[in-house]
Amino acid sequence: NNADPSGNSLMTYETSLVGQQTGVPNLTNYLDPTAIHLVNSLHELSTVFQHFQANVTVCAVDLEWSEPQAVSLIQIATADATYLIDTLHKSALFMSVLRHFLVWLLGSTSLHKVFFGFPHDLLRLNMLFGELGPIRRYRAVYDCAERRLQRRQVKLSPPEVPLVQDMLLRAALEEDDDEALLSIGNTVAGPQTGAVVEDLKIVDPPGSLQSVVHKHLGVHLDK
């Protein structure tokens, strides 16, 4: 859980989609077209805003753009539906309500958001809103493209005795020096063999979304 000076939190995690695990969608099934909603008017946007406030706890967010547009399309997917918010050639009122919606969405601690490359998407959103002001606060954001800590439990191997200490032990045994044996024994004593400790490892980002889909699902993503 990484925090910046403003107190924002960016939570990272890793899930494995290898095999037929519980919760992994059947890739041969097609998304019901009635579950895809094009949000193109102020009324539709307000309806989506109210729906998210009342019913949604997890969503995934992705942006599309083509230069010189900062953002052309905002895609927000829930467990039941996908919302496509068109940002081109919209009124000032529409853009103001859209910014208000995204400020609430990103700042909500009870709504968990999944991104792929969140910092760049946030930069694009702030370019989109321009004079309306940047979005500075975000909470409960999970970035699949971020470096993360991988935790695992490992058993300790038997402690190795350094060569110098080994020589001192041999000398103490030859001289039958109990005090020297005791003092040297205390210095080489370490964790008990078989003790379980936590091992931390930094895992680098997985690469592009296309490479992640191919690695875990075995599917070529044609964007």
Side-chain angles (χ1 to χ4, degrees), residues 132-151:
L132 292 175
I135 300 174
R136 302 184 184 277
R137 183 175 180 270
Y138 52 87
R139 299 288 189 273
V141 170
Y142 299 81
D143 191 345
C144 298
E146 282 291 306
R147 298 179 73 185
R148 59 197 181 277
L149 282 178
Q150 184 181 74
R151 289 182 166 89

Side-chain angles (χ1 to χ4, degrees), residues 44-171:
E44 292 166 340
L45 179 59
S46 300
T47 301
V48 171
F49 194 172
Q50 294 172 7
H51 171 68
F52 270 69
Q53 286 182 313
N55 303 297
V56 179
T57 58
V58 179
C59 69
V61 184
D62 189 32
L63 309 181
E64 300 293 344
W65 62 82
S66 58
E67 303 297 346
Q69 305 297 331
V71 177
S72 305
L73 188 69
I74 301 174
Q75 303 163 102
I76 306 178
T78 68
D80 305 313
T82 298
Y83 302 89
L84 309 178
I85 305 176
D86 183 5
T87 63
L88 296 180
H89 312 300
K90 292 297 185 290
S91 67
L93 180 58
F94 182 96
M95 297 304 296
S96 179
V97 173
L98 176 58
R99 180 185 177 279
H100 186 62
F101 170 49
L102 292 176
V103 166
W104 170 83
L105 184 141
L106 290 175
S108 173
T109 57
S110 60
L111 200 168
H112 299 272
K113 286 78 62 176
V114 180
F115 281 79
F116 191 93
F118 173 72
H120 190 64
D121 282 351
L122 182 61
L123 174 64
R124 283 279 171 175
L125 287 174
N126 287 334
M127 290 169 58
L128 172 68
F129 294 120
E131 296 181 356
L132 292 175
I135 300 174
R136 302 184 184 277
R137 183 175 180 270
Y138 52 87
R139 299 288 189 273
V141 170
Y142 299 81
D143 191 345
C144 298
E146 282 291 306
R147 298 179 73 185
R148 59 197 181 277
L149 282 178
Q150 184 181 74
R151 289 182 166 89
R152 62 174 183 168
Q153 289 186 335
V154 296
K155 286 187 176 182
L156 293 178
S157 301
E160 296 183 0
V161 180
L163 179 59
V164 173
Q165 290 178 325
D166 184 57
M167 294 173 63
L168 292 174
L169 282 171
R170 290 177 181 274

Side-chain angles (χ1 to χ4, degrees), residues 179-197:
E179 291 187 3
L181 282 171
L182 181 61
S183 63
I184 297 172
N186 289 335
T187 61
V188 301
Q192 294 297 315
T193 302
V196 177
V197 298

